[in-house]
Amino acid sequence: MSQLKRQRFRIRHILESQGRDPLALDAQLFPDLSDRTAPLAHRMRPKTLEAFRGQAHLVGPGRPLGEAIRRGKIESMVLWGPPGCGKTTLALLIAESLDRHYANFSAVTEGVARVREIIGEAETRSRSEGRGTILFCDEIHRFNKAQQDAFLPHVERGVITLIGATTENPSFELNNALLSRLRVHVLEPIPAEELERIVIDAAALLGREPRGSLAFDADAIGLIAKLAEGDARRAISAAEALWHHFAGARSGGEDETRVTAAMVAQVIERRPMLLDKSGDEHFNQISALHKSVRGSDVEGALYWLARMLGGGEDPRYILRRLIRMATEDIGLADPRALSVALAANETYRVLGSPEGELAIAEAAVYLATAPKSNRIYTAWSEARAAAEAVPAELVPLHLRNAPTRLMKEAGFGAGYRYDHDEGGLAAGQRYLPDALTDAEWYRPGPLGFERTLAERLILFKKSRKAAGNE
């Protein structure tokens, strides 16, 4: 049996074991076989919605976007998702299914002048052919908010159906006027099992090449999918790189090269942890770290801390957030938490990276295991609201300082009782304006040191009641 036949037989067996139709493979998965010079990822773009993988929550049976595409009723939209999740491919499939002209535009390399050209062509096409136009704007977030206004009237009139693609949060990157006219669809990283199927399909296509074929061990396929981290383009490029590296390296009369996980690790480098310091992932990861500490999950706190530091986050930013956690989420349930966070900040200032990062980890663990209370945070918020609601109340006379005789004669400080002369508490003495006499903002929680504070406040309240103030 020739190597090509053997490769096809093996791929057919794999597809049949997965319940997939091998006879439909060529038509659905390999529409661009004739273009041998195009990148493999481009040649593998599916031609049908059924062959589109990884976004079942959007285009699967019964899902709104998928059903809208099948009915040919598409509105302007934004496809928001990470690299390699299928945004461009989905836009192409939408244009194909609706039989509309597809105009490709990149906000990275082109400007508003090109948008006007496309709009003019779309108006002419609509009048002469009665055919609509889909304008696909890749990296739409690269247009500033003023430039985005160029789309507004034409989307409003239906001259074009705009499909924008972005890796950034549309809530922040698109102006409100345009965003209100677009429906946002969130694409997710491709699941590992789908990436494995994509690698198998890539191997099937590479098996048609004249230089030789590859047979991937299951562990090798799994490793490629893992290294791709949800990016289909990266998975396909990895398979292609392996083919270029090993094709023709057969020995012992074998018709194909068998690729093991060790061979994958040899050729495909693990992508370093990356962190967009101004993008969504920056805020997602610091949010995960904060919530892990608040939820007393030590492993979660350490994992997200390691992800952020490994991705190049500024340790000083993390330290500032840890100090905030100590006051916002722990407060007086453990007053030492703030001291630990501040000590970690000073330690890192002295040692720097990598030695000082251990102090950050120590602070994260201490904060995660400390008793939690947001009662100080709540009390401070309520006190600020009260100060805004009652901003002009005069300070009671007995609390006013009286450094001059005139002020004393005016009654400043009259009746003030010195707490230390009365055992530490001048019971019955008022400290708030009359309008706020009954205020109670700080209510200690039951955990940690706040339990002690709650007992003290109860004693203070009893003393005031005994003095007839309440």
Side-chain angles (χ1 to χ4, degrees), residues 25-216:
L25 186 66
D26 289 353
Q28 292 187 350
L29 291 175
F30 305 146
D32 296 317
L33 282 172
S34 59
D35 188 2
R36 301 285 184 182
T37 61
L40 183 62
H42 174 73
R43 292 156 59 193
M44 287 186 63
R45 289 193 193 277
K47 281 291 190 181
T48 68
L49 198 59
E50 289 68 30
F52 182 68
R53 300 199 185 97
Q55 306 299 337
H57 68 289
L58 286 181
V59 299
R63 307 307 298 176
L65 179 58
E67 293 305 311
I69 295 172
R70 293 178 181 93
R71 292 195 308 269
K73 302 292 184 181
I74 289 297
E75 57 189 354
S76 292
M77 69 183 73
V78 174
L79 303 177
W80 172 28
C85 68
K87 299 185 292 294
T88 302
T89 297
L90 183 55
L92 286 165
L93 288 173
I94 291 172
E96 182 72 20
S97 65
L98 271 62
D99 191 29
R100 297 186 191 178
H101 177 77
Y102 180 83
N104 190 54
F105 174 86
S106 172
V108 176
T109 59
E110 301 176 279
V112 173
R114 176 57 184 149
V115 172
R116 295 195 183 103
E117 289 179 8
I118 294 174
I119 298 299
E121 294 166 358
E123 290 177 325
T124 301
R125 188 179 300 107
S126 178
R127 288 193 301 267
S128 62
E129 304 176 19
R131 190 181 183 203
T133 297
I134 287 179
L135 171 55
F136 176 67
C137 181
D138 197 17
E139 306 288 349
I140 192 171
H141 62 274
R142 295 295 189 95
F143 260 14
N144 63 43
K145 294 188 177 183
Q147 290 174 307
Q148 292 168 20
D149 287 339
F151 296 119
L152 276 176
H154 313 295
V155 170
E156 185 76 31
R157 292 189 296 120
V159 175
I160 58 168
T161 299
L162 176 64
I163 301 179
T166 179
T167 57
E168 303 296 329
N169 191 329
S171 302
F172 304 132
E173 302 298 332
L174 301 187
N175 69 44
N176 291 333
L178 180 60
L179 192 58
S180 68
R181 292 163 172 81
L182 305 177
R183 183 164 183 177
V184 178
H185 298 287
V186 181
L187 284 74
E188 299 173 350
I190 307 296
E193 59 272 17
E194 292 289 353
L195 288 175
E196 291 180 3
R197 296 188 179 101
I198 288 172
V199 173
I200 292 172
D201 294 336
L205 182 52
L206 290 168
R208 298 166 178 260
E209 299 291 341
R211 288 176 53 197
S213 62
L214 301 178
F216 289 92

Side-chain angles (χ1 to χ4, degrees), residues 13-26:
H13 176 73
I14 293 173
L15 294 173
E16 288 176 342
S17 68
Q18 295 174 347
R20 299 159 66 198
D21 180 10
L23 297 178
L25 186 66
D26 289 353

